[in-house]
C-alpha cells in the first residue's frame, strides 16, 4: 500500500476517535448550556461568537497560503525554508492581530450591540463586556492557531482533532461544574470558560509541539524572511478573498436569522445545525489530510493516486448521503431526547440541512484538490459572487419560509458552486483545463 495512503488512513482512524469524542462533547454542551442560561441568552452568545469569529478570516489568507507552501518545502526536504515560512507567518499574524485589536477597541465606543443582535434582554454594558472577553480570546487564538496549519502541512491532521477534543471536553466539564454551583448563570459567566479554554489549550500545544515533534521547524525571530512574503501572499490573497466570501456564504446566517426573527430562533437553527454537523465531522475527518496529500501527489506527478483517491471519496459521499437521510427521518425524536420540547425544530429545516451537509461534503473533495495544487482563481470568483448573493437571497427566502428559507438560500448557491467545481476538476485531471479553469 502507498505510504501516502497509509498516512491518510492513520489520520482518518485516529481523527475519527478524537473528532467523534469532540462532537459528542459539543452536543452535550448544548442542553447543559440551555439549563445554565435561557434560550434567548444562548442565542445572543451564538450570534456574538459567530460575528467575532468572522475576524479569523482576516489572516489575509496567510494560514492557507502557509499550508500550501509549507507542504511544498517539506516534500522537497527544505527544512530551513519551512522554518522561515512558519516564523514569517507567526510574526505577521501577531501584527495583524494587534492591528485588528486596536481598531476593535476604538470601534467599541460607537457600536450598539443590542441593535446588531436585535435584542433588549441584556444591558448594553453586559453585551460589551461579553464581546470584550470573546474578542480578547479570539485575538490570541488568531496567532496560536498557526500550529494546526503546521500540523496539517505535515499531514498530521490528528493534532488538530486532539486540540479540538481537549477544548470541547474541558469546556463541557467547566460549564457542568458551573451548573452545579449556580442554578441561573449569566452570559458573562458562560463566556469565560468558552473563551479562555481554547487559549490555554493552544498555548500548551504550541510550547509542547515546537519543543518536541516540530523542533526542527520551530519559529524564531531570526528566521523571519521578508522575501517570502510574496510567495505566501501569492496564494494568500486569493485565499483571503475566498475567506471573506465564506463569511457571507456560511457565517452570515446567524446574523440574518437574529435580525429577521430574534436571538431565540438562532438557538433553534443551531440545534439542528449541530445535529447535522455529525455529517460534516465525518467528512472532515476523511477530507482534512487530503489538502497536503493532494499537493504532495501533484508535485511528484502521482496522478494515478489522485484519481484513485477521488473515486473512493465519491463512494464515501454516497454513504454519508444515506446516513444524512436517516438522520433527517429520526430528527424529531432525537431533538426531543436531546434538548426537550422547549425548542421545536421545523422538519423542513432538518431536510434542508441534511442535503446541505452532503452537498458541502461533495464539494470539499474538489475544493481540497484545487487548494492543494494552488488552482483557486475560479474558486475566488465563485465564492465572491455567492457571498454577495447569499444575503439578499437569504433575506428573501427567510421572509417567505422562515428560518429554513435562510438556510435554503445557502444550499441553492452551494449546489450551483459544486457543479462548477466538479466540471473544473474534470477539466484539470483530463488535461483539458485552459484559461480561468487552470489558474
Amino acid at each position: 500500500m502507498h505510504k501516502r495512503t497509509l498516512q491518510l488512513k492513520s489520520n482518518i482512524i485516529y481523527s475519527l476517535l478524537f473528532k467523534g469524542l469532540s462532537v459528542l462533547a459539543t452536543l452535550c454542551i448544548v442542553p447543559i448550556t440551555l439549563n445554565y442560561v435561557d434560550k434567548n441568552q444562548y442565542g445572543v452568545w451564538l450570534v456574538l461568537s459567530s460575528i467575532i469569529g468572522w475576524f479569523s478570516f482576516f489572516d489575509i489568507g496567510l494560514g492557507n497560503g502557509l499550508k500550501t507552501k509549507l507542504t511544498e518545502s517539506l516534500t522537497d526536504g527544505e527544512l530551513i525554508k519551512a522554518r522561515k515560512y512558519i516564523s514569517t507567518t507567526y510574526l505577521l499574524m501577531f501584527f495583524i492581530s494587534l492591528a485588528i485589536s486596536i481598531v476593535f477597541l476604538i470601534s467599541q465606543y460607537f457600536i450598539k450591540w443590542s441593535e446588531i443582535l436585535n435584542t433588549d434582554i441584556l444591558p448594553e454594558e453586559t453585551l460589551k463586556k461579553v464581546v470584550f472577553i470573546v474578542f480578547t480570546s479570539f485575538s490570541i487564538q488568531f496567532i496560536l492557531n498557526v500550529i494546526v496549519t503546521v500540523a496539517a502541512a505535515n499531514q498530521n491532521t490528528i493534532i488538530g482533532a486532539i486540540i479540538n477534543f481537549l477544548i470541547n471536553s474541558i469546556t463541557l466539564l467547566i460549564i457542568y461544574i458551573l451548573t452545579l454551583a449556580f442554578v441561573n448563570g449569566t452570559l458573562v459567566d458562560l463566556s469565560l470558560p468558552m473563551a479562555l479554554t481554547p487559549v490555554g489549550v493552544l498555548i500548551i500545544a504550541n510550547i509542547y509541539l515546537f519543543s518536541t515533534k516540530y523542533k526542527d521547524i520551530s519559529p524564531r525571530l531570526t528566521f523571519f524572511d521578508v522575501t517570502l512574503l510574496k510567495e505566501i501572499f501569492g496564494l494568500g490573497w486569493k485565499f483571503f478573498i475566498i475567506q471573506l466570501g465564506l463569511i457571507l456564504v456560511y457565517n452570515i446566517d446567524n446574523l440574518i436569522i437574529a435580525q429577521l426573527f430574534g436571538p431565540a430562533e438562532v438557538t433553534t437553527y443551531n440545534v439542528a445545525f449541530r445535529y447535522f454537523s455529525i455529517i460534516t465531522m465525518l467528512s472532515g475527518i476523511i477530507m482534512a489530510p487530503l489538502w497536503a496529500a493532494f499537493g504532495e501527489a501533484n508535485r511528484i506527478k502521482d496522478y494515478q493516486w489522485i484519481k484513485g483517491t477521488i473515486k473512493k471519496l465519491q463512494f464515501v459521499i454516497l454513504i454519508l448521503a444515506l446516513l444524512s437521510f436517516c438522520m433527517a427521518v429520526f430528527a424529531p425524536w432525537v431533538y426531543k431526547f436531546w434538548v426537550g420540547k422547549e425548542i421545536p425544530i421545523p422538519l423542513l429545516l432538518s431536510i434542508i440541512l441534511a442535503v446541505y451537509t452532503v452537498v458541502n461534503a461533495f464539494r470539499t473533495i474538489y475544493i481540497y484538490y484545487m487548494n492543494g495544487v494552488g488552482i483557486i482563481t475560479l474558486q475566488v470568483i465563485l465564492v465572491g459572487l455567492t457571498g454577495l448573493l447569499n444575503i439578499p437571497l437569504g433575506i428573501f427566502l427567510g421572509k417567505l419560509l422562515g428560518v429554513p428559507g435562510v438556510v435554503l438560500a445557502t444550499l441553492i448557491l452551494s449546489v450551483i458552486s459544486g457543479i462548477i467545481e466538479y466540471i473544473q476538476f474534470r477539466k484539470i485531471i483530463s488535461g483539458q483545463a485552459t484559461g480561468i479553469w487552470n489558474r
Side-chain angles (χ1 to χ4, degrees):
M1 186 177 289
H2 199 291
K3 181 181 178 182
R4 193 184 304 109
T5 303
L6 287 172
Q7 180 75 17
L8 277 173
K9 287 190 174 182
S10 175
N11 272 296
I12 289 170
I13 291 170
Y14 287 109
S15 292
L16 182 61
L17 171 64
F18 285 102
K19 283 196 174 182
L21 291 172
S22 182
V23 168
L24 181 62
T26 302
L27 294 175
C28 291
I29 285 173
V30 175
I32 291 176
T33 303
L34 287 170
N35 286 329
Y36 186 58
V37 296
D38 62 35
K39 180 180 177 181
N40 283 291
Q41 287 190 73
Y42 186 55
V44 168
W45 164 259
L46 290 171
V47 181
L48 272 179
S49 56
S50 177
I51 292 173
I52 299 299
W54 295 351
F55 289 97
S56 64
F57 294 111
F58 282 87
D59 69 345
I60 54 179
L62 284 172
N64 288 326
L66 170 66
K67 187 189 297 184
T68 301
K69 287 298 180 181
L70 186 56
T71 298
E72 292 177 0
S73 59
L74 291 172
T75 301
D76 296 339
E78 298 178 340
L79 294 184
I80 297 298
K81 192 171 186 179
R83 198 171 191 180
K84 289 181 178 180
Y85 277 132
I86 294 169
S87 302
T88 302
T89 302
Y90 262 101
L91 191 60
L92 285 175
M93 288 293 205
F94 170 77
F95 284 116
I96 292 171
S97 179
L98 181 63
I100 293 173
S101 298
I102 293 171
V103 173
F104 173 78
L105 290 173
I106 295 172
S107 66
Q108 271 284 76
Y109 291 99
F110 307 100
I111 295 175
K112 287 190 176 181
W113 288 103
S114 56
E115 293 181 3
I116 293 174
L117 300 169
N118 190 26
T119 182
D120 56 3
I121 62 171
L122 292 169
E124 184 70 25
E125 183 180 344
T126 299
L127 291 174
K128 285 185 180 293
K129 188 180 295 185
V130 173
V131 170
F132 178 78
I133 293 170
V134 177
F135 188 84
T136 301
S137 170
F138 152 77
S139 62
I140 300 172
Q141 291 180 62
F142 186 84
I143 305 166
L144 299 177
N145 265 320
V146 174
I147 188 62
V148 178
T149 302
V150 172
N154 279 273
Q155 299 187 45
N156 289 317
T157 53
I158 178 60
I159 289 175
I162 293 173
I163 289 173
N164 283 331
F165 162 69
L166 290 173
I167 290 171
N168 289 331
S169 56
I170 293 171
T171 301
L172 173 63
L173 178 62
I174 295 174
I175 294 176
Y176 178 69
I177 293 172
L178 286 174
T179 61
L180 297 178
F182 306 98
V183 178
N184 295 314
T186 67
L187 200 57
V188 174
D189 297 330
L190 176 66
S191 66
L192 287 170
M194 290 280 203
L196 298 182
T197 302
V199 172
V201 172
L202 283 168
I203 288 174
I204 293 172
N206 273 265
I207 294 172
Y208 174 75
L209 290 171
F210 281 127
S211 300
T212 55
K213 191 176 184 69
Y214 300 136
K215 187 175 182 179
D216 291 340
I217 53 173
S218 60
R220 293 287 186 276
L221 280 174
T222 52
F223 282 92
F224 174 81
D225 189 346
V226 70
T227 63
L228 294 179
L229 291 180
K230 185 177 180 180
E231 292 185 39
I232 300 175
F233 278 120
L235 284 176
W237 75 266
K238 293 181 180 179
F239 282 121
F240 175 54
I241 295 174
I242 290 173
Q243 290 168 329
L244 288 178
L246 290 176
I247 293 176
L248 302 177
V249 176
Y250 298 116
N251 296 67
I252 200 71
D253 286 355
N254 279 332
L255 186 57
I256 293 175
I257 292 169
Q259 284 293 318
L260 292 178
F261 313 109
E265 290 304 310
V266 177
T267 300
T268 300
Y269 162 66
N270 272 270
V271 167
F273 182 84
R274 287 177 188 271
Y275 174 55
F276 284 99
S277 69
I278 293 173
I279 300 295
T280 305
M281 180 269 293
L282 291 173
S283 67
I285 289 171
I286 298 166
M287 306 296 181
L290 290 171
W291 184 319
F294 281 144
E296 179 196 7
N298 187 77
R299 194 161 184 82
I300 60 175
K301 303 185 186 307
D302 192 353
Y303 301 122
Q304 192 63 36
W305 182 88
I306 294 172
K307 291 177 181 178
T309 301
I310 293 290
K311 286 182 179 179
K312 292 174 183 176
L313 291 172
Q314 290 168 340
F315 178 72
V316 169
I317 297 302
L318 290 176
I319 297 174
L320 290 178
L322 179 61
L323 176 60
S324 187
F325 171 77
C326 294
M327 289 178 65
V329 171
F330 292 103
W333 292 277
V334 175
Y335 296 145
K336 184 178 179 181
F337 172 78
W338 182 25
V339 295
K341 299 178 180 179
E342 292 78 15
I343 305 178
I345 313 292
L347 178 59
L348 180 60
L349 178 60
S350 295
I351 293 172
I352 292 172
L353 281 170
V355 178
Y356 170 76
T357 50
V358 173
V359 168
N360 277 337
F362 174 80
R363 290 181 62 200
T364 303
I365 297 174
Y366 310 107
I367 289 173
Y368 271 33
Y369 169 74
M370 288 179 284
N371 287 354
V373 302
I375 300 175
I376 59 175
T377 299
L378 182 59
Q379 191 184 155
V380 170
I381 296 170
L382 272 178
V383 172
L385 289 175
T386 53
L388 292 174
L389 291 171
N390 190 50
I391 296 177
L393 187 59
I395 293 172
F396 172 74
L397 292 179
K399 291 180 178 179
L400 196 66
L401 299 171
V403 173
V406 178
V407 189
L408 179 60
T410 309
L411 170 59
I412 291 171
L413 295 171
S414 294
V415 169
I416 295 171
S417 296
I419 294 171
I420 296 172
E421 287 154 357
Y422 176 74
I423 293 171
Q424 182 182 23
F425 167 76
R426 296 301 304 171
K427 284 179 176 290
I428 293 171
I429 209 68
S430 63
Q432 299 175 353
T434 57
I436 197 170
W437 297 99
N438 197 37
R439 292 210 304 265

